[in-house]
Every structure is written in C-alpha cells, then in structure tokens.
Amino acid sequence: MAPVRKPQTVDHSILNEMLAIRLQQLEVENGGMEAFLPKTGLARGTYYTILRGIGNPTLRTMERIASSLNMTVFELLGFDLSDAKRALQKSGVDYDELASAIAKKNRADRALARQARSKKLPI
C-alpha cells in the first residue's frame, strides 16, 4: 500500500487573509476569475495558493500584482493611499518623494540590466 501524505500544517496570517479577501473582491469587480487572473500577472497555481490564504507571497510579488492592476500595494490590500501617506508623514517620510526615488532607482536598475544583457561575454 502506498504511503499516504499527511496534510501540511498551514500558518495563516492576517496579511495573507487580507490579500485573499481583497483578490476575491477584485475578481468579482473584474468579471470573475477567468477574466481577472491574467491581469494579476500570476501563474494559476500561485494565484490559487494566495487566494486560499495559504500562500506566502513576497512583498515583491505583492508589488507585481498591484502594479499589474494599476494600483499601489496599499490599495491592493484595501487601504486608502491617503492613510498610507499620513502614516509615513508621521515618521517624517514623504510618500511622493519616496515613490519617485524608488521609480528612478528601478529605471536605472533596468537600464543597467539591459546593458549587461546586450554586452557579449568574452570567449
């Protein structure tokens, strides 16, 4: 008789559940899963795992989903951007300046990566 796999224990977190609930809401708003899934930029299996609240998406994955949907991570999680800006301002951080600096750095990183790919390696 073949060994039976034991179910893995899953640690649920508030953030995972928030993301799962929000993705379900966005699915409904965007005409269902089949219409919405391609917009997320995720593979089907990854999407299902996150949607069940058992995935452990990295912050980069969350940024990629949000970017694919033309929103911020805050909006993806259901927060108002104004709330995030106010919270950062309490710490002395200007959201718009931070977002601009990150966008500039990302553009520079992509340009460097393109240059590196275009150069031929010596034989």
Side-chain angles (χ1 to χ4, degrees):
M1 182 159 145
V4 177
R5 281 184 52 192
K6 293 181 183 179
Q8 295 178 339
T9 58
V10 177
D11 288 333
H12 290 270
S13 75
I14 295 290
L15 188 57
N16 286 350
E17 295 299 329
M18 287 175 66
L19 182 57
I21 290 166
R22 185 68 173 128
L23 286 175
Q24 291 169 13
Q25 291 172 337
L26 291 169
E27 251 186 39
V28 170
E29 293 171 13
N30 286 276
M33 195 272 298
E34 292 302 324
F36 181 65
L37 178 59
K39 294 178 183 179
T40 66
L42 295 174
R44 187 175 296 269
T46 303
Y47 180 76
Y48 285 143
T49 303
I50 294 171
L51 198 60
R52 290 192 314 257
I54 58 174
N56 192 15
T58 63
L59 289 174
R60 182 65 194 124
T61 297
M62 291 174 58
E63 287 175 336
R64 196 168 44 243
I65 296 168
S67 176
S68 296
L69 299 172
N70 263 347
M71 57 178 57
T72 66
V73 172
F74 303 113
E75 293 166 323
L76 176 64
L77 293 173
F79 294 106
D80 287 337
L81 186 56
S82 60
D83 292 336
K85 287 181 177 185
R86 221 176 3 265
L88 285 170
Q89 192 64 43
K90 286 181 182 178
S91 300
V93 177
D94 182 272
Y95 175 88
D96 296 321
E97 287 178 14
L98 178 61
S100 176
I102 291 169
K104 185 176 179 180
K105 181 186 180 312
N106 287 341
R107 282 191 302 272
D109 288 346
R110 283 191 299 272
L112 283 173
R114 277 192 304 273
Q115 282 180 341
R117 283 191 306 266
S118 68
K119 292 182 179 180
K120 293 185 179 182
L121 294 174
I123 298 178

